[in-house]
C-alpha cells in the first residue's frame, strides 16, 4: 500500500510530523511519499491514486503558511472532481488565536466539498502538539488498519 503525506509548514513542525508518519508507515509496510505543499499543485493532487494525509499549520490569524499560499489558493478556487480519493487532515495551530487551526479546517472542508472522502475526522493539534500527536498517530494507524488492512 502507498500513502502520500502532504505537509504545509513555515517553522518545520509539520515537516517533522510528516517524517514521523513516514517512519511509522515504513515500519508498517506502507510506502510513504512526503511532499511539501510549497512544491505541489492541484493537478498533482488530481492524479493521486492512493490515500493522502494533509498536515498543515495555521499561520498568523487563520492563514496558510506563507510557503503554501499558492496551493491553498488553488485548492480554494478549484472545482476539480476528487471523488474516489480518500484523505485525512492533521491541522496545527495555536489556541491563543481565535481562528485556531483555521487553515486545516478550510483544507478539510474543501477536499470534502470536491468529493474526496475523509477516512477519519480532522484532528486539530495545539502548541503541545507532540503529546497530542501520539494519540493522533495511534488513531490514524488504527484507522489505516481498519480501512486498508495496514499493520498497526
Amino acid at each position: 500500500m502507498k500513502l502520500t503525506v502532504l505537509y504545509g509548514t513555515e517553522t518545520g513542525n509539520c515537516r517533522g510530523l510528516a517524517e514521523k508518519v513516514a517512519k511509522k508507515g515504513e515500519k508498517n509496510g506502507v510506502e510513504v511519499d512526503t511532499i511539501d505543499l510549497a512544491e505541489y499543485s492541484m493537478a498533482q493532487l488530481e492524479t493521486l491514486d492512493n490515500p493522502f494525509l494533509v498536515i498543515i499549520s495555521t499561520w498568523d490569524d487563520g492563514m496558510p503558511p506563507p510557503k503554501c499560499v499558492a496551493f491553498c489558493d488553488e485548492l480554494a478556487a478549484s472545482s476539480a472532481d476528487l471523488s474516489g480519493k480518500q484523505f485525512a487532515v492533521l491541522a496545527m495551530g495555536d489556541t491563543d488565536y481565535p481562528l485556531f487551526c483555521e487553515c486545516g479546517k478550510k483544507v478539510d472542508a474543501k477536499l470534502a466539498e470536491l468529493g474526496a472522502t475523509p477516512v477519519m475526522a480532522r484532528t486539530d493539534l495545539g502548541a503541545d502538539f507532540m503529546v497530542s500527536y501520539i494519540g493522533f498517530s495511534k488513531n490514524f494507524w488504527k484507522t489505516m488498519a481498519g480501512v486498508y488492512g495496514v499493520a498497526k
Side-chain angles (χ1 to χ4, degrees), residues 4 10 12 19 22 28 49 54 63 65 68 74 83-84 91-92 102 104-105 111-112 126 133 139-140 148:
T4 300
E10 192 62 27
E19 290 167 355
N28 292 341
D49 60 357
V54 178
M63 301 302 295
C68 303
E74 190 179 9
S83 33
M92 294 182 62
E102 186 67 13
K105 291 174 183 176
L111 291 170
Y133 171 77
N139 188 32
F140 179 75
Y148 302 105

Side-chain angles (χ1 to χ4, degrees), residues 103-147:
C103 181
K105 291 174 183 176
K106 287 180 179 176
V107 167
D108 184 58
K110 185 65 180 187
L111 291 170
E113 177 187 314
L114 294 175
T117 305
V119 295
M120 61 186 281
R122 185 192 71 250
T123 302
D124 298 340
L125 301 183
D128 62 344
F129 66 90
M130 283 312 293
V131 174
S132 304
Y133 171 77
I134 294 166
F136 163 80
S137 181
K138 287 179 182 176
N139 188 32
F140 179 75
W141 291 109
K142 182 178 178 182
T143 299
M144 295 300 283
V147 175

Side-chain angles (χ1 to χ4, degrees), residues 23-44:
K23 190 176 226 180
K24 177 73 172 175
E26 288 165 9
K27 283 184 181 178
N28 292 341
V30 176
E31 179 187 341
V32 182
D33 287 337
T34 56
I35 303 169
D36 189 341
L37 284 171
E39 303 165 359
Y40 205 69
S41 70
M42 277 301 297
Q44 290 169 288

Side-chain angles (χ1 to χ4, degrees), residues 58-130:
T58 295
W59 191 254
D60 199 21
D61 198 17
M63 301 302 295
K67 295 175 184 174
C68 303
V69 168
F71 175 82
C72 290
D73 286 351
E74 190 179 9
L75 174 64
S78 180
S79 59
D81 180 6
L82 299 182
S83 33
K85 304 204 181 302
Q86 296 180 310
F87 74 98
V89 173
L90 176 59
M92 294 182 62
D94 186 333
T95 55
D96 288 341
Y97 287 89
L99 296 175
F100 172 64
C101 289
E102 186 67 13
C103 181
K105 291 174 183 176
K106 287 180 179 176
V107 167
D108 184 58
K110 185 65 180 187
L111 291 170
E113 177 187 314
L114 294 175
T117 305
V119 295
M120 61 186 281
R122 185 192 71 250
T123 302
D124 298 340
L125 301 183
D128 62 344
F129 66 90
M130 283 312 293

